[in-house]
Amino acid sequence: MTGTLRARAAASGAQVKQVSYTRGFTYSTQVLRLTLPGSTGASQTLLVTNDIQHGPLPALKGVGQATVTTTFRPEDPQAQAAYARAFPDRQPQVQTVIGLAGDTHSRVDVPGGTLTEQGTTVNWQALGGTVDVQGNDTRLNLSWPGLTVSDPGDGDPTTGTIGRVTLTGENRRNGPADPIGLGRASLTLDRAALQGDGASMNLTGLNISADTAAQGNYLNSTVKYDVGTLSLPGPDGAAQSLRDLQLHLSLGHLAREPLARLLVLLNDAPRSWTAHSRVSRTVPSVIRSRASARRSRRRPAPTCWPCCRTTRS
């Protein structure tokens, strides 16, 4: 399971390292460090804990290799404290059943909650869904009712709302290390609104879809953006409404093998930059240490002479 996770993480530019593993007869605990590449170059690190019930009858709830309950938490202490305030009673978790053939069925559960920081209150609904992996095929189905944000400000309150969000997708890869895969994905947003400073923005019916298909050794890819309505404040302060916005992009006859190599190179680039930075910091210090050692060897060693005392009788 860890090997598959490493391969899938590497395909997306992330890194997985096992921190600890405690094995029992029917129950084991594994802790992993998951490093995610950041958009600004700074990586984000999560500690992933897997509580494993071993098969063939894991937790007496079915037949399979194991049942795994996965929880996450940031490694940074300050981020951990904020995470604990957001989920004081129950942490987000993923429950995975590993079948006898290695297929997995995962159920995602993120509790709803309310968090107030520096006067801003965020209230979010519970997120749930499933992820099924059968061989190199992955199916995703997530649903989130949304959230509300309110900030009283200095007498001029600001509010924001995100309505129902759904994410579905199907993907088939040639293997765990395949960075591309074939299939389709769809993200829908029922509505979003932002009100503040005497103006408002409203959006409904957002749908983003992507479809990638193979034709021999080549790929054809299509991305579609569709918006039902969009209302924005105009230059004179009056609301302007747009309807049925569409942006459809397509790329065809892309050579699959060079594209896969390019994606692997782009995913490995942040790690290469980090390694180069470490070498750049280490080499000068090593050179200085060696130069200091050579200077020390060239200096004459100090000579200690015994003290002579004369005693007069």
Side-chain angles (χ1 to χ4, degrees):
M1 179 178 176
T2 304
T4 303
L5 180 59
R6 285 198 181 102
R8 293 184 180 275
S12 61
Q15 292 180 299
V16 177
K17 182 180 180 181
Q18 182 168 283
V19 177
S20 63
Y21 182 74
T22 304
R23 181 177 178 85
F25 182 70
T26 61
Y27 182 87
S28 299
T29 300
Q30 179 189 47
V31 179
L32 303 173
R33 179 178 287 109
L34 175 62
T35 303
L36 304 172
S39 58
T40 59
S43 60
Q44 303 293 327
T45 304
L46 297 178
L47 295 178
V48 183
T49 301
N50 292 320
D51 294 320
I52 307 167
Q53 296 278 351
H54 299 296
L57 299 173
L60 300 177
K61 295 181 180 180
V63 178
Q65 294 187 35
T67 297
V68 184
T69 300
T70 303
T71 55
F72 312 84
R73 59 185 174 91
E75 188 174 39
D76 179 73
Q78 292 184 349
Q80 277 191 31
Y83 188 72
R85 291 193 298 271
F87 302 101
D89 301 323
R90 185 165 58 92
Q91 292 185 0
Q93 64 178 17
V94 179
Q95 293 185 336
T96 302
V97 177
I98 304 175
L100 294 176
D103 302 335
T104 63
H105 172 75
S106 302
R107 181 170 294 278
V108 181
D109 177 22
V110 179
T114 301
L115 179 66
T116 300
E117 294 282 347
Q118 298 180 352
T120 301
T121 300
V122 182
N123 182 281
W124 64 92
Q125 303 297 314
L127 180 150
T130 59
V131 181
D132 294 294
V133 179
Q134 186 175 7
N136 294 320
D137 296 348
T138 302
R139 290 180 175 84
L140 172 68
N141 191 343
L142 299 177
S143 178
W144 182 38
L147 62 77
T148 59
V149 180
S150 61
D151 185 350
D154 296 328
D156 188 6
T158 300
T159 61
T161 303
I162 294 178
R164 178 172 294 276
V165 180
T166 60
L167 176 62
T168 60
E170 298 179 359
N171 184 273
R172 170 172 290 183
R173 300 178 183 269
N174 285 336
D178 181 10
I180 301 177
L182 306 174
R184 61 181 58 90
S186 176
L187 172 67
T188 63
L189 170 62
D190 284 357
R191 58 186 175 82
L194 179 63
Q195 295 178 342
D197 294 330
S200 64
M201 184 278 291
N202 291 276
L203 179 146
T204 63
L206 173 64
N207 184 21
I208 304 174
S209 61
D211 192 343
T212 302
Q215 186 176 4
N217 294 325
Y218 297 90
L219 298 176
N220 298 320
S221 181
T222 303
V223 180
K224 298 180 180 180
Y225 300 86
D226 297 281
V227 177
T229 61
L230 176 62
S231 175
L232 296 171
D236 57 354
Q240 296 184 347
S241 297
L242 303 173
R243 295 180 179 275
D244 298 327
L245 301 178
Q246 294 182 347
L247 176 60
H248 295 179
L249 307 173
S250 62
L251 295 173
H253 207 66
L254 300 173
R256 182 169 186 170
E257 185 176 349
L259 183 60
R261 291 201 301 266
L262 177 61
L263 291 177
V264 171
L265 179 63
L266 293 175
N267 288 333
D268 291 341
R271 292 194 292 272
S272 301
W273 296 334
T274 302
H276 176 73
S277 176
R278 291 174 180 171
V279 171
S280 300
R281 292 194 302 266
T282 303
V283 170
S285 63
V286 172
I287 294 175
R288 288 195 298 270
S289 299
R290 291 179 176 176
S292 176
R294 287 195 295 268
R295 288 194 298 269
S296 298
R297 287 196 295 269
R298 288 197 296 267
R299 293 194 189 106
T303 304
C304 297
W305 299 95
C307 295
C308 299
R309 296 182 180 178
T310 300
T311 304
R312 296 181 180 182
S313 56

PDB file of all heavy atoms in Angstrom, residues 25 30 74 83 106 122-123 128 157 166 169 174 182 218 256 267 273 279 292 309 313:
ATOM      1  N   PHE A  25      -0.885  -7.982  16.176  1.00  0.00           N
ATOM      2  CA  PHE A  25      -1.440  -9.194  15.576  1.00  0.00           C
ATOM      3  C   PHE A  25      -2.661  -8.877  14.718  1.00  0.00           C
ATOM      4  O   PHE A  25      -2.804  -9.380  13.597  1.00  0.00           O
ATOM      5  CB  PHE A  25      -1.806 -10.189  16.679  1.00  0.00           C
ATOM      6  CG  PHE A  25      -2.334 -11.484  16.148  1.00  0.00           C
ATOM      7  CD1 PHE A  25      -1.503 -12.366  15.480  1.00  0.00           C
ATOM      8  CD2 PHE A  25      -3.667 -11.818  16.305  1.00  0.00           C
ATOM      9  CE1 PHE A  25      -1.995 -13.562  14.974  1.00  0.00           C
ATOM     10  CE2 PHE A  25      -4.173 -13.006  15.808  1.00  0.00           C
ATOM     11  CZ  PHE A  25      -3.328 -13.884  15.148  1.00  0.00           C
ATOM     12  N   GLN A  30       0.604   3.169  11.368  1.00  0.00           N
ATOM     13  CA  GLN A  30       1.658   3.680  10.489  1.00  0.00           C
ATOM     14  C   GLN A  30       1.550   5.197  10.408  1.00  0.00           C
ATOM     15  O   GLN A  30       0.455   5.745  10.269  1.00  0.00           O
ATOM     16  CB  GLN A  30       1.529   3.069   9.092  1.00  0.00           C
ATOM     17  CG  GLN A  30       2.554   3.551   8.085  1.00  0.00           C
ATOM     18  CD  GLN A  30       2.248   3.077   6.669  1.00  0.00           C
ATOM     19  OE1 GLN A  30       1.109   3.173   6.215  1.00  0.00           O
ATOM     20  NE2 GLN A  30       3.254   2.545   5.991  1.00  0.00           N
ATOM     21  N   PRO A  74      -1.326  18.897  10.052  1.00  0.00           N
ATOM     22  CA  PRO A  74      -0.114  19.608   9.616  1.00  0.00           C
ATOM     23  C   PRO A  74       1.043  19.323  10.563  1.00  0.00           C
ATOM     24  O   PRO A  74       0.854  19.112  11.766  1.00  0.00           O
ATOM     25  CB  PRO A  74      -0.528  21.083   9.660  1.00  0.00           C
ATOM     26  CG  PRO A  74      -2.022  21.072   9.725  1.00  0.00           C
ATOM     27  CD  PRO A  74      -2.417  19.820  10.411  1.00  0.00           C
ATOM     28  N   TYR A  83      -5.653  23.890  13.132  1.00  0.00           N
ATOM     29  CA  TYR A  83      -6.387  22.698  12.696  1.00  0.00           C
ATOM     30  C   TYR A  83      -7.215  22.130  13.841  1.00  0.00           C
ATOM     31  O   TYR A  83      -8.370  21.718  13.654  1.00  0.00           O
ATOM     32  CB  TYR A  83      -5.381  21.666  12.192  1.00  0.00           C
ATOM     33  CG  TYR A  83      -5.970  20.447  11.538  1.00  0.00           C
ATOM     34  CD1 TYR A  83      -6.553  20.527  10.274  1.00  0.00           C
ATOM     35  CD2 TYR A  83      -5.931  19.210  12.167  1.00  0.00           C
ATOM     36  CE1 TYR A  83      -7.079  19.399   9.661  1.00  0.00           C
ATOM     37  CE2 TYR A  83      -6.453  18.083  11.561  1.00  0.00           C
ATOM     38  CZ  TYR A  83      -7.020  18.184  10.313  1.00  0.00           C
ATOM     39  OH  TYR A  83      -7.540  17.065   9.716  1.00  0.00           O
ATOM     40  N   SER A 106     -12.709   3.784  -0.732  1.00  0.00           N
ATOM     41  CA  SER A 106     -12.455   4.772   0.313  1.00  0.00           C
ATOM     42  C   SER A 106     -13.645   5.697   0.445  1.00  0.00           C
ATOM     43  O   SER A 106     -14.237   6.111  -0.557  1.00  0.00           O
ATOM     44  CB  SER A 106     -11.197   5.587   0.001  1.00  0.00           C
ATOM     45  OG  SER A 106     -10.058   4.759  -0.136  1.00  0.00           O
ATOM     46  N   VAL A 122     -16.085  31.668   9.797  1.00  0.00           N
ATOM     47  CA  VAL A 122     -16.279  30.748   8.670  1.00  0.00           C
ATOM     48  C   VAL A 122     -17.129  29.588   9.164  1.00  0.00           C
ATOM     49  O   VAL A 122     -16.811  28.963  10.183  1.00  0.00           O
ATOM     50  CB  VAL A 122     -14.933  30.231   8.122  1.00  0.00           C
ATOM     51  CG1 VAL A 122     -15.172  29.315   6.916  1.00  0.00           C
ATOM     52  CG2 VAL A 122     -14.032  31.388   7.735  1.00  0.00           C
ATOM     53  N   ASN A 123     -18.205  29.310   8.460  1.00  0.00           N
ATOM     54  CA  ASN A 123     -19.087  28.192   8.782  1.00  0.00           C
ATOM     55  C   ASN A 123     -19.184  27.293   7.555  1.00  0.00           C
ATOM     56  O   ASN A 123     -19.628  27.746   6.495  1.00  0.00           O
ATOM     57  CB  ASN A 123     -20.469  28.700   9.192  1.00  0.00           C
ATOM     58  CG  ASN A 123     -21.403  27.563   9.579  1.00  0.00           C
ATOM     59  OD1 ASN A 123     -21.952  26.894   8.720  1.00  0.00           O
ATOM     60  ND2 ASN A 123     -21.584  27.362  10.867  1.00  0.00           N
ATOM     61  N   GLY A 128     -18.365  14.975   1.928  1.00  0.00           N
ATOM     62  CA  GLY A 128     -18.324  13.514   1.876  1.00  0.00           C
ATOM     63  C   GLY A 128     -18.209  13.025   0.450  1.00  0.00           C
ATOM     64  O   GLY A 128     -18.445  13.763  -0.514  1.00  0.00           O
ATOM     65  N   PRO A 157     -19.877  45.478   6.874  1.00  0.00           N
ATOM     66  CA  PRO A 157     -19.685  44.024   6.871  1.00  0.00           C
ATOM     67  C   PRO A 157     -19.480  43.466   5.456  1.00  0.00           C
ATOM     68  O   PRO A 157     -19.962  44.017   4.470  1.00  0.00           O
ATOM     69  CB  PRO A 157     -20.978  43.497   7.496  1.00  0.00           C
ATOM     70  CG  PRO A 157     -21.988  44.566   7.226  1.00  0.00           C
ATOM     71  CD  PRO A 157     -21.239  45.852   7.262  1.00  0.00           C
ATOM     72  N   THR A 166     -19.621  19.869  -6.415  1.00  0.00           N
ATOM     73  CA  THR A 166     -19.460  18.443  -6.675  1.00  0.00           C
ATOM     74  C   THR A 166     -18.245  18.240  -7.573  1.00  0.00           C
ATOM     75  O   THR A 166     -17.957  19.059  -8.458  1.00  0.00           O
ATOM     76  CB  THR A 166     -20.698  17.831  -7.358  1.00  0.00           C
ATOM     77  OG1 THR A 166     -20.931  18.491  -8.605  1.00  0.00           O
ATOM     78  CG2 THR A 166     -21.921  17.973  -6.478  1.00  0.00           C
ATOM     79  N   GLY A 169     -15.069  12.131 -11.340  1.00  0.00           N
ATOM     80  CA  GLY A 169     -14.050  11.846 -12.338  1.00  0.00           C
ATOM     81  C   GLY A 169     -13.770  10.369 -12.488  1.00  0.00           C
ATOM     82  O   GLY A 169     -14.021   9.567 -11.581  1.00  0.00           O
ATOM     83  N   ASN A 174      -1.664   3.908 -17.416  1.00  0.00           N
ATOM     84  CA  ASN A 174      -0.933   2.738 -17.887  1.00  0.00           C
ATOM     85  C   ASN A 174      -0.237   2.014 -16.743  1.00  0.00           C
ATOM     86  O   ASN A 174       0.115   0.844 -16.870  1.00  0.00           O
ATOM     87  CB  ASN A 174       0.092   3.139 -18.949  1.00  0.00           C
ATOM     88  CG  ASN A 174      -0.554   3.438 -20.289  1.00  0.00           C
ATOM     89  OD1 ASN A 174      -1.653   2.957 -20.579  1.00  0.00           O
ATOM     90  ND2 ASN A 174       0.110   4.243 -21.108  1.00  0.00           N
ATOM     91  N   LEU A 182      -5.996   8.629 -18.767  1.00  0.00           N
ATOM     92  CA  LEU A 182      -7.081   8.954 -19.680  1.00  0.00           C
ATOM     93  C   LEU A 182      -8.387   8.953 -18.906  1.00  0.00           C
ATOM     94  O   LEU A 182      -8.545   8.206 -17.951  1.00  0.00           O
ATOM     95  CB  LEU A 182      -7.156   7.939 -20.824  1.00  0.00           C
ATOM     96  CG  LEU A 182      -5.879   7.706 -21.635  1.00  0.00           C
ATOM     97  CD1 LEU A 182      -6.085   6.574 -22.630  1.00  0.00           C
ATOM     98  CD2 LEU A 182      -5.446   8.982 -22.347  1.00  0.00           C
ATOM     99  N   TYR A 218      -1.104   9.068 -29.474  1.00  0.00           N
ATOM    100  CA  TYR A 218      -1.358  10.490 -29.334  1.00  0.00           C
ATOM    101  C   TYR A 218      -2.569  10.727 -28.433  1.00  0.00           C
ATOM    102  O   TYR A 218      -3.405   9.840 -28.233  1.00  0.00           O
ATOM    103  CB  TYR A 218      -1.577  11.141 -30.708  1.00  0.00           C
ATOM    104  CG  TYR A 218      -0.363  11.053 -31.604  1.00  0.00           C
ATOM    105  CD1 TYR A 218      -0.196   9.965 -32.447  1.00  0.00           C
ATOM    106  CD2 TYR A 218       0.606  12.050 -31.596  1.00  0.00           C
ATOM    107  CE1 TYR A 218       0.929   9.873 -33.270  1.00  0.00           C
ATOM    108  CE2 TYR A 218       1.720  11.971 -32.408  1.00  0.00           C
ATOM    109  CZ  TYR A 218       1.881  10.876 -33.245  1.00  0.00           C
ATOM    110  OH  TYR A 218       2.995  10.786 -34.036  1.00  0.00           O
ATOM    111  N   ARG A 256       2.126  11.283 -26.765  1.00  0.00           N
ATOM    112  CA  ARG A 256       1.949  10.942 -25.363  1.00  0.00           C
ATOM    113  C   ARG A 256       3.274  10.771 -24.630  1.00  0.00           C
ATOM    114  O   ARG A 256       3.443  11.286 -23.520  1.00  0.00           O
ATOM    115  CB  ARG A 256       1.127   9.650 -25.245  1.00  0.00           C
ATOM    116  CG  ARG A 256       0.852   9.249 -23.806  1.00  0.00           C
ATOM    117  CD  ARG A 256      -0.164   8.137 -23.723  1.00  0.00           C
ATOM    118  NE  ARG A 256      -0.538   7.831 -22.363  1.00  0.00           N
ATOM    119  CZ  ARG A 256      -1.539   7.035 -22.015  1.00  0.00           C
ATOM    120  NH1 ARG A 256      -2.270   6.464 -22.957  1.00  0.00           N
ATOM    121  NH2 ARG A 256      -1.815   6.821 -20.742  1.00  0.00           N
ATOM    122  N   ASN A 267       7.416  17.818 -12.509  1.00  0.00           N
ATOM    123  CA  ASN A 267       7.150  17.377 -11.140  1.00  0.00           C
ATOM    124  C   ASN A 267       8.427  17.241 -10.333  1.00  0.00           C
ATOM    125  O   ASN A 267       8.440  17.485  -9.125  1.00  0.00           O
ATOM    126  CB  ASN A 267       6.411  16.040 -11.155  1.00  0.00           C
ATOM    127  CG  ASN A 267       4.977  16.171 -11.610  1.00  0.00           C
ATOM    128  OD1 ASN A 267       4.365  17.219 -11.459  1.00  0.00           O
ATOM    129  ND2 ASN A 267       4.432  15.115 -12.182  1.00  0.00           N
ATOM    130  N   TRP A 273      15.381  21.767  -7.375  1.00  0.00           N
ATOM    131  CA  TRP A 273      15.744  23.094  -6.881  1.00  0.00           C
ATOM    132  C   TRP A 273      16.091  23.048  -5.397  1.00  0.00           C
ATOM    133  O   TRP A 273      17.034  23.693  -4.947  1.00  0.00           O
ATOM    134  CB  TRP A 273      14.602  24.065  -7.115  1.00  0.00           C
ATOM    135  CG  TRP A 273      14.301  24.279  -8.557  1.00  0.00           C
ATOM    136  CD1 TRP A 273      15.175  24.133  -9.616  1.00  0.00           C
ATOM    137  CD2 TRP A 273      13.045  24.654  -9.127  1.00  0.00           C
ATOM    138  NE1 TRP A 273      14.531  24.391 -10.793  1.00  0.00           N
ATOM    139  CE2 TRP A 273      13.234  24.715 -10.538  1.00  0.00           C
ATOM    140  CE3 TRP A 273      11.799  24.953  -8.584  1.00  0.00           C
ATOM    141  CZ2 TRP A 273      12.207  25.059 -11.404  1.00  0.00           C
ATOM    142  CZ3 TRP A 273      10.773  25.295  -9.448  1.00  0.00           C
ATOM    143  CH2 TRP A 273      10.977  25.353 -10.840  1.00  0.00           C
ATOM    144  N   VAL A 279      22.822  21.975  -1.639  1.00  0.00           N
ATOM    145  CA  VAL A 279      24.221  21.837  -2.041  1.00  0.00           C
ATOM    146  C   VAL A 279      24.903  23.200  -2.041  1.00  0.00           C
ATOM    147  O   VAL A 279      26.041  23.351  -1.599  1.00  0.00           O
ATOM    148  CB  VAL A 279      24.312  21.173  -3.429  1.00  0.00           C
ATOM    149  CG1 VAL A 279      25.743  21.231  -3.955  1.00  0.00           C
ATOM    150  CG2 VAL A 279      23.856  19.735  -3.341  1.00  0.00           C
ATOM    151  N   SER A 292      40.093  26.280   6.714  1.00  0.00           N
ATOM    152  CA  SER A 292      40.472  26.522   8.104  1.00  0.00           C
ATOM    153  C   SER A 292      41.379  25.422   8.622  1.00  0.00           C
ATOM    154  O   SER A 292      42.331  25.682   9.356  1.00  0.00           O
ATOM    155  CB  SER A 292      39.217  26.629   8.957  1.00  0.00           C
ATOM    156  OG  SER A 292      39.537  26.782  10.321  1.00  0.00           O
ATOM    157  N   ARG A 309      63.136  26.830  38.416  1.00  0.00           N
ATOM    158  CA  ARG A 309      63.203  27.568  39.674  1.00  0.00           C
ATOM    159  C   ARG A 309      64.560  27.319  40.359  1.00  0.00           C
ATOM    160  O   ARG A 309      65.043  26.189  40.357  1.00  0.00           O
ATOM    161  CB  ARG A 309      62.080  27.156  40.617  1.00  0.00           C
ATOM    162  CG  ARG A 309      60.705  27.487  40.089  1.00  0.00           C
ATOM    163  CD  ARG A 309      59.642  27.085  41.095  1.00  0.00           C
ATOM    164  NE  ARG A 309      58.294  27.399  40.587  1.00  0.00           N
ATOM    165  CZ  ARG A 309      57.176  27.113  41.239  1.00  0.00           C
ATOM    166  NH1 ARG A 309      57.251  26.545  42.440  1.00  0.00           N
ATOM    167  NH2 ARG A 309      56.033  27.435  40.702  1.00  0.00           N
ATOM    168  N   SER A 313      69.997  28.260  49.202  1.00  0.00           N
ATOM    169  CA  SER A 313      70.038  27.741  50.556  1.00  0.00           C
ATOM    170  C   SER A 313      70.700  28.745  51.479  1.00  0.00           C
ATOM    171  O   SER A 313      71.506  29.552  51.030  1.00  0.00           O
ATOM    172  CB  SER A 313      70.786  26.401  50.607  1.00  0.00           C
ATOM    173  OG  SER A 313      72.087  26.565  50.059  1.00  0.00           O
TER     174      SER A 313
END
